[in-house]
Protein backbone atom coordinates (compact mmCIF):
# COMPACT_ATOMS: atom_id res chain seq x y z
CA UNK A 1 0.00 0.00 0.00
CA UNK A 2 2.81 2.42 0.84
CA UNK A 3 4.45 1.57 -2.48
CA UNK A 4 1.21 2.35 -4.33
CA UNK A 5 0.88 5.69 -2.53
CA UNK A 6 4.51 6.53 -3.31
CA UNK A 7 3.96 5.77 -7.01
CA UNK A 8 0.82 7.90 -7.09
CA UNK A 9 2.66 10.79 -5.43
CA UNK A 10 5.53 10.45 -7.91
CA UNK A 11 3.36 10.53 -11.02
CA UNK A 12 1.09 13.30 -9.74
CA UNK A 13 4.21 15.44 -9.56
CA UNK A 14 4.18 15.58 -13.35
CA UNK A 15 0.82 17.35 -13.32
CA UNK A 16 -0.51 20.55 -11.84
CA UNK A 17 -2.56 18.96 -9.10
CA UNK A 18 -3.70 20.83 -6.02
CA UNK A 19 -3.44 19.35 -2.55
CA UNK A 20 -7.18 18.66 -2.22
CA UNK A 21 -7.25 16.61 -5.42
CA UNK A 22 -4.25 14.63 -4.23
CA UNK A 23 -5.95 14.15 -0.86
CA UNK A 24 -9.02 12.70 -2.56
CA UNK A 25 -6.90 10.26 -4.58
CA UNK A 26 -4.97 9.14 -1.49
CA UNK A 27 -8.23 8.75 0.44
CA UNK A 28 -9.74 6.47 -2.22
CA UNK A 29 -6.59 4.33 -2.36
CA UNK A 30 -6.34 4.22 1.43
CA UNK A 31 -10.01 3.33 1.81
CA UNK A 32 -9.46 0.30 -0.38
CA UNK A 33 -6.24 -0.77 1.28
CA UNK A 34 -7.43 -0.52 4.86
CA UNK A 35 -9.88 -3.37 4.34
CA UNK A 36 -6.96 -5.70 3.67
CA UNK A 37 -6.06 -5.32 7.34
CA UNK A 38 -9.50 -6.59 8.28
CA UNK A 39 -8.89 -9.64 6.09
CA UNK A 40 -5.54 -10.26 7.82
CA UNK A 41 -7.17 -9.99 11.24
CA UNK A 42 -9.82 -12.49 10.14
CA UNK A 43 -7.16 -14.96 8.97
CA UNK A 44 -5.35 -14.72 12.30
CA UNK A 45 -8.60 -15.33 14.18
CA UNK A 46 -9.36 -18.37 11.99
CA UNK A 47 -5.91 -19.78 12.77
CA UNK A 48 -6.38 -19.25 16.47
CA UNK A 49 -3.89 -16.40 16.86
CA UNK A 50 -6.21 -14.17 18.82
CA UNK A 51 -3.65 -11.65 20.10
CA UNK A 52 -2.21 -10.80 16.69
CA UNK A 53 -5.67 -10.76 15.17
CA UNK A 54 -6.92 -8.39 17.86
CA UNK A 55 -3.94 -6.02 17.35
CA UNK A 56 -4.44 -5.91 13.58
CA UNK A 57 -8.19 -5.40 14.07
CA UNK A 58 -7.43 -2.47 16.38
CA UNK A 59 -5.13 -0.93 13.76
CA UNK A 60 -7.88 -1.46 11.17
CA UNK A 61 -10.40 0.42 13.32
CA UNK A 62 -7.93 3.27 13.90
CA UNK A 63 -7.14 3.65 10.20
CA UNK A 64 -10.82 3.32 9.29
CA UNK A 65 -11.53 6.24 11.63
CA UNK A 66 -9.02 8.44 9.77
CA UNK A 67 -10.31 7.28 6.38
CA UNK A 68 -13.82 8.34 7.40
CA UNK A 69 -12.48 11.73 8.55
CA UNK A 70 -10.68 12.16 5.22
CA UNK A 71 -13.84 11.29 3.29
CA UNK A 72 -15.74 13.92 5.28
CA UNK A 73 -12.98 16.50 4.78
CA UNK A 74 -12.18 15.94 1.09
CA UNK A 75 -15.57 14.94 -0.33
CA UNK A 76 -18.06 16.99 1.72
CA UNK A 77 -18.32 20.45 3.19
CA UNK A 78 -19.00 19.13 6.67
CA UNK A 79 -16.74 18.68 9.69
CA UNK A 80 -16.76 16.21 12.54
CA UNK A 81 -16.70 17.12 16.22
CA UNK A 82 -14.81 13.85 16.81
CA UNK A 83 -11.88 14.94 14.61
CA UNK A 84 -8.67 14.68 16.67
CA UNK A 85 -6.33 15.44 13.75
CA UNK A 86 -5.82 19.13 14.77
CA UNK A 87 -4.60 17.94 18.18
CA UNK A 88 -2.28 15.40 16.57
CA UNK A 89 -0.99 18.05 14.16
CA UNK A 90 -0.32 20.42 17.05
CA UNK A 91 1.39 17.65 19.02
CA UNK A 92 3.67 16.85 16.07
CA UNK A 93 4.43 20.51 15.44
CA UNK A 94 2.87 20.54 11.97
CA UNK A 95 0.86 23.73 12.33
CA UNK A 96 3.79 26.10 11.91
CA UNK A 97 5.11 24.33 8.83
CA UNK A 98 1.69 24.31 7.20
CA UNK A 99 1.35 28.02 7.88
CA UNK A 100 4.76 28.68 6.35
CA UNK A 101 3.84 26.67 3.28
CA UNK A 102 0.60 28.59 2.81
CA UNK A 103 2.41 31.89 3.21
CA UNK A 104 4.89 30.82 0.51
CA UNK A 105 2.13 30.25 -2.03
CA UNK A 106 2.30 33.71 -3.52
CA UNK A 107 -0.84 34.88 -5.24
CA UNK A 108 0.18 35.82 -8.78
CA UNK A 109 -1.85 38.73 -10.08
CA UNK A 110 -1.14 39.27 -13.80
CA UNK A 111 -1.43 42.82 -15.03
CA UNK A 112 -3.05 41.90 -18.33
CA UNK A 113 -6.28 40.34 -17.08
CA UNK A 114 -7.77 37.59 -14.96
CA UNK A 115 -9.08 34.32 -16.34
CA UNK A 116 -11.14 31.49 -14.92
CA UNK A 117 -8.90 28.58 -13.91
CA UNK A 118 -11.02 26.19 -15.97
CA UNK A 119 -10.11 28.16 -19.10
CA UNK A 120 -6.35 28.22 -18.51
CA UNK A 121 -3.77 25.65 -19.60
CA UNK A 122 -0.05 25.43 -19.05
CA UNK A 123 2.15 25.89 -22.09
CA UNK A 124 5.52 24.43 -23.07
CA UNK A 125 8.18 26.94 -24.09
CA UNK A 126 11.31 26.15 -26.10
CA UNK A 127 14.13 28.72 -26.20
CA UNK A 128 17.02 28.81 -28.66
CA UNK A 129 20.46 30.19 -27.81
CA UNK A 130 19.54 33.83 -28.46
CA UNK A 131 16.25 33.57 -26.56
CA UNK A 132 18.09 31.94 -23.64
CA UNK A 133 20.59 34.81 -23.65
CA UNK A 134 17.63 37.23 -23.53
CA UNK A 135 16.25 35.29 -20.54
CA UNK A 136 19.57 35.53 -18.71
CA UNK A 137 19.75 39.26 -19.39
CA UNK A 138 16.21 39.78 -18.13
CA UNK A 139 16.95 37.78 -14.98
CA UNK A 140 20.01 39.94 -14.32
CA UNK A 141 17.97 43.13 -14.75
CA UNK A 142 15.28 41.85 -12.40
CA UNK A 143 17.87 40.88 -9.77
CA UNK A 144 19.43 44.34 -9.98
CA UNK A 145 16.00 45.83 -9.32
CA UNK A 146 15.41 43.42 -6.39
CA UNK A 147 12.40 41.93 -8.14
CA UNK A 148 13.47 38.32 -7.57
CA UNK A 149 13.04 36.75 -4.13
CA UNK A 150 15.86 34.56 -2.83
CA UNK A 151 14.28 32.94 0.23
CA UNK A 152 12.93 29.63 -1.13
CA UNK A 153 9.38 30.72 -0.40
CA UNK A 154 10.13 30.82 3.36
CA UNK A 155 10.00 27.01 3.36
CA UNK A 156 11.87 24.90 5.88
CA UNK A 157 14.10 22.00 4.92
CA UNK A 158 11.39 19.34 5.14
CA UNK A 159 8.98 21.31 2.96
CA UNK A 160 11.76 21.94 0.44
CA UNK A 161 12.57 18.24 0.34
CA UNK A 162 8.95 17.46 -0.50
CA UNK A 163 9.09 19.79 -3.49
CA UNK A 164 12.48 18.42 -4.58
CA UNK A 165 11.07 14.89 -4.39
CA UNK A 166 8.38 15.88 -6.90
CA UNK A 167 10.27 18.31 -9.15
CA UNK A 168 13.94 17.37 -8.67
CA UNK A 169 14.90 20.87 -7.54
CA UNK A 170 13.58 23.90 -5.70
CA UNK A 171 14.47 27.40 -6.86
CA UNK A 172 15.42 30.25 -4.56
CA UNK A 173 12.59 32.31 -6.05
CA UNK A 174 9.99 29.54 -5.46
CA UNK A 175 7.25 29.47 -6.68
CA UNK A 176 8.49 31.85 -9.39
CA UNK A 177 8.61 35.55 -10.25
CA UNK A 178 5.96 37.10 -12.47
CA UNK A 179 7.52 39.16 -15.26
CA UNK A 180 6.80 42.91 -15.05
CA UNK A 181 5.77 42.85 -18.72
CA UNK A 182 4.95 39.93 -21.00
CA UNK A 183 3.13 39.33 -24.26
CA UNK A 184 2.43 36.57 -26.77
CA UNK A 185 2.44 37.17 -30.51
CA UNK A 186 1.51 34.92 -33.40
CA UNK A 187 3.99 34.81 -36.26
CA UNK A 188 3.41 32.52 -39.26
CA UNK A 189 1.67 29.84 -37.24
CA UNK A 190 4.01 30.03 -34.26
CA UNK A 191 3.50 31.69 -30.89
CA UNK A 192 6.36 33.80 -29.56
CA UNK A 193 6.70 34.87 -25.93
CA UNK A 194 8.10 38.32 -25.18
CA UNK A 195 8.98 39.75 -21.79
CA UNK A 196 10.95 42.48 -20.08
CA UNK A 197 11.14 45.08 -17.38
CA UNK A 198 8.67 47.07 -19.47
CA UNK A 199 7.21 47.02 -22.96
CA UNK A 200 10.00 49.15 -24.46
CA UNK A 201 12.65 46.70 -23.21
CA UNK A 202 10.79 43.52 -24.06
CA UNK A 203 12.78 40.73 -25.69
CA UNK A 204 11.85 37.47 -27.37
CA UNK A 205 12.12 34.72 -24.74
CA UNK A 206 10.91 31.58 -26.48
CA UNK A 207 8.40 29.83 -28.71
CA UNK A 208 5.34 27.93 -27.50
CA UNK A 209 5.61 24.32 -28.69
CA UNK A 210 2.59 22.90 -26.83
CA UNK A 211 -0.61 24.36 -25.40
CA UNK A 212 -1.58 21.90 -22.72
CA UNK A 213 -1.15 18.56 -24.50
CA UNK A 214 -1.96 20.01 -27.94
CA UNK A 215 0.66 21.11 -30.50
CA UNK A 216 0.58 24.86 -31.01
CA UNK A 217 -0.43 24.73 -34.69
CA UNK A 218 -3.45 22.56 -33.85
CA UNK A 219 -4.40 24.71 -30.86
CA UNK A 220 -4.41 27.82 -33.06
CA UNK A 221 -7.01 26.25 -35.34
CA UNK A 222 -9.34 25.26 -32.49
CA UNK A 223 -9.02 28.04 -29.91
CA UNK A 224 -8.61 31.72 -29.36
CA UNK A 225 -5.49 32.01 -27.21
CA UNK A 226 -4.19 34.68 -24.85
CA UNK A 227 -1.22 34.71 -22.50
CA UNK A 228 -2.38 34.61 -18.88
CA UNK A 229 0.93 34.62 -17.00
CA UNK A 230 4.67 34.29 -17.55
CA UNK A 231 6.75 33.34 -14.53
CA UNK A 232 10.55 33.30 -14.31
CA UNK A 233 12.14 30.33 -12.52
CA UNK A 234 15.69 29.05 -12.21
CA UNK A 235 18.97 30.48 -10.96
CA UNK A 236 20.14 29.72 -7.40
CA UNK A 237 18.51 26.53 -6.19
CA UNK A 238 18.69 23.60 -3.80
CA UNK A 239 19.19 19.91 -4.51
CA UNK A 240 18.76 17.23 -1.84
CA UNK A 241 21.23 14.67 -0.54
CA UNK A 242 20.62 12.16 2.24
CA UNK A 243 21.99 14.50 4.90
CA UNK A 244 21.50 18.06 3.66
CA UNK A 245 20.35 20.47 1.00
CA UNK A 246 23.11 21.56 -1.36
CA UNK A 247 23.35 24.78 -3.36
CA UNK A 248 23.14 24.66 -7.12
CA UNK A 249 22.54 27.02 -10.05
CA UNK A 250 19.97 26.11 -12.69
CA UNK A 251 19.41 27.79 -16.08
CA UNK A 252 16.69 30.40 -16.09
CA UNK A 253 13.48 29.50 -17.90
CA UNK A 254 9.86 30.58 -17.97
CA UNK A 255 6.61 28.87 -17.09
CA UNK A 256 3.56 30.13 -18.92
CA UNK A 257 -0.18 29.77 -18.66
CA UNK A 258 -2.39 30.32 -21.68
CA UNK A 259 -6.07 31.21 -21.55
CA UNK A 260 -8.24 29.71 -24.26
CA UNK A 261 -11.73 29.96 -25.69
CA UNK A 262 -13.30 27.80 -28.41
CA UNK A 263 -13.55 29.46 -31.79
Amino acid sequence: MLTVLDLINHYLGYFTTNSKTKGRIYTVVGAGGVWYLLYLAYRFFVNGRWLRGALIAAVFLLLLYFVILNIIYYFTKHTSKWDVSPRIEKLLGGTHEEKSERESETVIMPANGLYSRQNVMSGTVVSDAQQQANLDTLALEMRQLDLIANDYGHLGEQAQRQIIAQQGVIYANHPGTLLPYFAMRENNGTLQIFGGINQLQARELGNVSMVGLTPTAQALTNYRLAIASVVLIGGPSHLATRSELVDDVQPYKIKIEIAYDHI
Side-chain angles (χ1 to χ4, degrees), residues 22-42:
K22 288 183 179 180
R24 289 178 173 177
I25 296 173
Y26 296 149
T27 298
V28 171
V29 175
V34 73
W35 292 100
Y36 180 67
L37 292 177
L38 183 61
Y39 169 76
L40 290 179
Y42 167 75

Side-chain angles (χ1 to χ4, degrees), residues 27-71:
T27 298
V28 171
V29 175
V34 73
W35 292 100
Y36 180 67
L37 292 177
L38 183 61
Y39 169 76
L40 290 179
Y42 167 75
R43 296 305 305 171
F44 276 115
F45 286 139
V46 169
N47 293 320
R49 298 187 177 183
W50 298 97
L51 179 58
R52 291 188 179 182
L55 290 175
I56 294 178
V59 173
F60 162 76
L61 291 175
L62 178 63
L63 293 180
L64 181 63
Y65 162 76
F66 285 109
V67 166
I68 293 173
L69 287 181
N70 280 344
I71 292 174

Side-chain angles (χ1 to χ4, degrees), residues 35 47 53 62 70 91 107 112 119 123 136-137 148 166 169 178 211 231 234:
W35 292 100
N47 293 320
L62 178 63
N70 280 344
L91 181 64
V107 176
N112 64 332
N119 293 328
D136 296 336
T137 300
I148 300 180
Q166 294 182 357
V169 65
L178 187 70
V211 179
V231 175

Side-chain angles (χ1 to χ4, degrees), residues 163-176:
I163 293 174
I164 294 172
Q166 294 182 357
Q167 304 178 10
V169 65
I170 182 172
Y171 304 112
N173 71 329
H174 176 80

Side-chain angles (χ1 to χ4, degrees), residues 92-139:
L92 296 177
T95 303
H96 174 71
E97 183 173 337
E98 182 69 20
K99 179 181 178 182
S100 297
E101 190 167 350
R102 286 198 305 267
E103 289 175 348
S104 71
E105 295 175 353
T106 305
V107 176
I108 297 176
M109 186 67 70
N112 64 332
L114 299 176
Y115 300 92
S116 172
R117 295 305 305 173
Q118 64 184 11
N119 293 328
V120 173
M121 294 184 289
S122 60
T124 303
V125 178
V126 177
S127 300
D128 60 25
Q130 181 56 57
Q131 292 166 337
Q132 184 63 51
N134 292 341
L135 263 173
D136 296 336
T137 300
L138 175 58

